[in-house]
Amino acid sequence: AVSMGINLLAEELELMYKQLEQRVEERTAMLREAHEAMSRMAMTDGLTGLANRLAPAARMDEALESAAAGGHAPALLLLDLNSFKQTNDSFGHEAGDRVLSAVAKRLREAVREGDTVARLGGDEFAILTPEATLDQAMAIANRIVVLLGHSIQLEEMSVWPQASIGVRVAEPGRTAQDLLLEADTAMYEAKKGRRGSIKVFQPHMLSSRQLHNQMAAELRDAIAAGEFVLYYQPVVDLASGRIHGAEVLVRWNHPQRGMVMPDEFIPLAEETGLIIDLGRWILRAAVMA
């Protein structure tokens, strides 16, 4: 009887141990799933369901490590929607969100399985292809241009979500930060051209952008230092020959570069928001002349 009792107790303890072990495994699996879900949420854009700005950097590092170990190089495409601010201003943020969601859906359709599509913020998106040649990266970029060429219907209005796209295929020894900067530089060059344009990164683009950034910084100081010169062009009535007034023309007398024409610095002033300060300086100088 004693032996039977001991055996029953041992079986009961073993059963309890197995149940406990099973509960621990279930709780561990639940915690793992919760952790993975939180990680996905932390790297997911709430509006579009795409990866957010945190995801591409981590995946770029993985892709670059794979390329260094003998795999194919990754490619990064950055794109910025044209005239998106105008859509927000004209139709409101809710309409803007609908455009972003529609664009996200089309970007998913343009990429290959295994590619990462991310929204970096605002109307800027990134596509990382872990292994791609330039031809393959360009094929994706061209598919995007085609897919974004179809209008998005908002109430009774149509929006045409064209984008400027910068393309960069990684070279040996480049870091994720290098890849991002170079793709962004190519995108910046694409924005200078017509809508829906694609630019592949070239080294000279970087020096051009550095000069642009330097001039932007110098422009602010130039306004404060009064480095601008005004010219007055008469406005003449051709029928009578009478002068009705004068048009004020502005030039930037740069200390090192000499006279800089408006077509170089006016777009820069508009882009940086300094156009208001420059306009005030011109008005003040013209009135006091």
Side-chain angles (χ1 to χ4, degrees), residues 142-203:
N142 282 307
R143 281 200 297 273
I144 291 171
V145 170
V146 171
L147 288 169
L148 294 186
H150 303 295
S151 66
I152 296 172
Q153 196 68 27
L154 295 178
E155 303 301 335
E156 298 179 357
M157 301 292 293
S158 295
V159 174
W160 301 85
Q162 294 173 316
S164 301
I165 306 175
V167 179
R168 178 54 164 156
V169 178
E171 294 180 350
R174 309 305 283 168
T175 65
Q177 187 174 0
D178 294 332
L179 193 59
L180 187 60
L181 173 63
E182 290 162 357
D184 187 67
T185 299
M187 183 184 72
Y188 175 78
E189 289 294 321
K191 290 175 71 172
K192 291 181 181 178
R194 61 180 178 80
R195 293 184 174 187
S197 62
I198 304 167
K199 290 290 183 181
V200 177
F201 174 79
Q202 301 293 335

Side-chain angles (χ1 to χ4, degrees), residues 23 38 71 81 88 96 107-108 134 138 187 193 205 237 256:
R23 282 200 297 271
M38 289 179 67
L81 298 183
N88 261 346
L107 293 181
R108 288 194 191 96
L134 178 57
M138 287 298 292
M187 183 184 72
M205 293 178 179
D237 185 336
Q256 285 80 42

